[in-house]
Amino acid sequence: MKLIRKITFPFVPIYYAVTSLRNKLYDLGIKKSMSYDFPIICVGNLSVGGTGKTPMVEYLIRLLKNNYRVATLSRGYKRKTKGFYLADETSTVNTLGDEPFQFFDKFKNDIIVAVDANRNNGIDNLRKLANPPEVILLDDAFQHRKVKAGFNILLTTYSNLYTDDVVLPTGNLREPKNGAKRADIIVVTKCPKSIRESEKTKIIKKLNIENDQHVFFSFIEYVEEVISFERHINLIDLKDFTLVTGIANANTLVEFLKDKKLNFNHLNFGDHHDFTETQIKDLETNSLIVTTEKDFMRLKHFKSLESKLYYLPIVIGLDDEPKFNKLIKDFVTS
């Protein structure tokens, strides 16, 4: 993979030029962005892969759901449906996609969950509902510039800041680094809890933010138990198990479990992996399976795994949570 990326380096200037031109056309108003007169918050990144968008959207849901009618709108990656789709009791991973289904499975009594690759069409359909949302959270839509969100939250990982990366196909950036200037908040995710203020200062300087931008540092907090269908096991009581992951980067999870001195075998699949019948049969031979919450949404419908399948929940912590919350609430109320 690294060799292929090095070989494709001559295409980097082409990709850079095309994406830069596209952004410039939007900045000049030649390509049109739609603005809206109600709060829309976009959560996204510059890079491909796991920067922690799903935990951030869930954080915003918890922050706002008690005071506003909140909707999430995602593309619905790898779903089997087309166009606008509104989640209901018949929805599955196949109709929604894994991340939107996770939102619905966890918050279905509190929020509206919808998917549409055309975010403008999705917003229009949500606003036509009999009881429309008051706030819409756009999941992974930073590059979807046909919508001009009122507030943009950009995520970048501590271990791979966008300032240290280059655009596709050699690097991981979907667009040039200066796209970060569209963000209102930049969150450096997956930081060590022990990160020092001096290191934060260096990172903020490296990000070269605008005067009106805010930077926060977040870290992952794992719950001290794994959860299944109304069943819980404390981590300290886990014996030998198989860890199954189908996410962009499982390193943080693996290191956490190793630090707990747990004995496990790791089966690592690609992001948004569709499990085959053969792979499910192989998983059936394991006595205990621990996975991520996103992967649990894809696997829990296999009855043969029901008695042995658990997931490890995560939440995010922020270095200055009151300030972050105030910025979000001030935007929504304004």
Side-chain angles (χ1 to χ4, degrees):
M1 187 64 181
K2 290 183 179 179
L3 177 61
I4 293 174
R5 290 201 163 197
K6 288 180 180 179
I7 293 172
T8 58
F9 183 76
F11 296 98
V12 167
I14 299 172
Y15 187 94
Y16 184 98
V18 171
T19 51
S20 293
L21 176 61
R22 176 180 179 272
N23 279 334
K24 194 67 176 178
L25 293 175
Y26 276 110
D27 293 340
L28 295 174
I30 297 171
K31 290 178 77 71
K32 299 299 181 184
S33 295
M34 178 70 73
S35 298
Y36 296 87
D37 59 355
F38 57 91
I40 295 179
I41 301 174
C42 170
V43 176
N45 52 22
L46 292 186
S47 63
V48 296
T51 54
K53 294 184 295 295
T54 301
M56 176 55 69
V57 173
E58 290 187 357
Y59 182 96
L60 295 173
I61 291 171
R62 292 187 182 96
L63 179 66
L64 299 171
K65 67 182 177 65
N66 292 333
N67 297 306
Y68 302 95
R69 288 191 303 280
V70 175
T72 64
L73 179 61
S74 312
R75 177 176 55 157
Y77 183 63
K78 282 197 172 183
R79 65 186 170 115
K80 304 295 191 265
T81 53
K82 301 291 183 182
F84 179 77
Y85 183 89
L86 190 67
D88 59 26
E89 291 299 331
T90 66
S91 299
T92 66
V93 168
N94 288 331
T95 58
L96 279 175
D98 50 15
E99 287 150 346
F101 185 72
Q102 181 174 321
F103 300 148
F104 181 69
D105 190 68
K106 188 178 290 187
F107 301 105
K108 58 187 167 189
N109 296 322
D110 298 315
I111 67 169
I112 302 164
V113 175
V115 292
D116 198 330
N118 184 330
R119 302 310 204 286
N120 300 82
N121 184 65
I123 292 169
D124 291 343
N125 276 285
L126 283 170
R127 294 293 286 179
K128 289 175 184 175
L129 295 176
N131 198 18
E134 297 169 305
V135 182
I136 295 178
L137 306 178
L138 296 182
D139 175 31
D140 195 14
F142 195 75
Q143 283 76 37
H144 196 98
R145 297 201 60 186
K146 289 183 179 180
V147 173
K148 188 173 183 180
F151 202 89
N152 285 290
I153 300 174
L154 180 70
L155 309 182
T156 184
T157 58
Y158 170 83
S159 61
N160 188 25
L161 299 172
Y162 62 78
T163 50
D164 297 330
D165 208 344
V166 296
V167 297
L168 294 163
T170 297
N172 292 311
L173 297 185
R174 299 170 173 178
E175 61 173 297
K177 302 168 190 177
N178 59 12
K181 297 188 183 300
R182 302 197 305 273
D184 298 283
I185 285 176
I186 297 172
V187 181
V188 181
T189 63
K190 303 182 181 180
C191 297
K193 280 190 177 182
S194 58
I195 184 171
R196 296 181 179 180
E197 291 301 320
S198 58
E199 188 176 4
K200 290 181 185 178
T201 301
K202 288 180 182 178
I203 291 174
I204 292 171
K205 185 176 181 181
K206 198 173 188 179
L207 295 178
N208 191 28
I209 63 171
E210 301 293 298
N211 291 332
D212 59 347
Q213 290 181 309
H214 304 270
V215 177
F216 294 87
F217 295 82
S218 75
F219 50 89
I220 290 175
E221 292 187 304
Y222 291 100
V223 177
E224 291 292 321
E225 61 182 7
V226 292
I227 299 172
S228 187
F229 302 88
E230 300 181 355
R231 301 192 305 274
H232 302 247
I233 302 176
N234 289 329
L235 288 181
I236 58 173
D237 295 326
L238 281 179
K239 305 304 179 185
D240 294 355
F241 63 91
T242 297
L243 174 67
V244 177
T245 59
I247 57 178
N249 189 338
N251 292 342
T252 304
L253 172 57
V254 171
E255 289 305 313
F256 170 78
L257 295 174
K258 285 183 177 178
D259 287 344
K260 291 288 182 181
K261 310 300 182 186
L262 299 174
N263 188 32
F264 61 93
N265 173 46
H266 183 199
L267 298 179
N268 190 23
F269 299 94
D271 198 16
H272 300 278
H273 180 72
D274 287 325
F275 292 90
T276 65
E277 287 186 20
T278 301
Q279 288 167 345
I280 296 301
K281 286 187 180 298
D282 288 341
L283 291 179
E284 290 171 5
T285 63
N286 294 276
S287 57
L288 181 63
I289 300 168
V290 174
T291 189
T292 67
E293 190 168 3
K294 186 168 77 168
D295 293 309
F296 184 81
M297 295 301 150
R298 287 196 294 271
L299 291 169
K300 71 174 188 174
H301 301 292
F302 294 99
K303 295 296 183 183
S304 60
L305 301 180
E306 192 172 289
S307 64
K308 60 188 70 178
L309 184 65
Y310 292 78
Y311 70 89
L312 181 62
I314 64 170
V315 293
I316 60 169
L318 287 160
D319 64 330
D320 193 349
E321 193 171 298
K323 180 181 178 182
F324 181 91
N325 293 353
K326 185 176 187 303
L327 287 170
I328 301 299
K329 291 179 177 178
D330 285 351
F331 163 69
V332 172
T333 55
S334 67

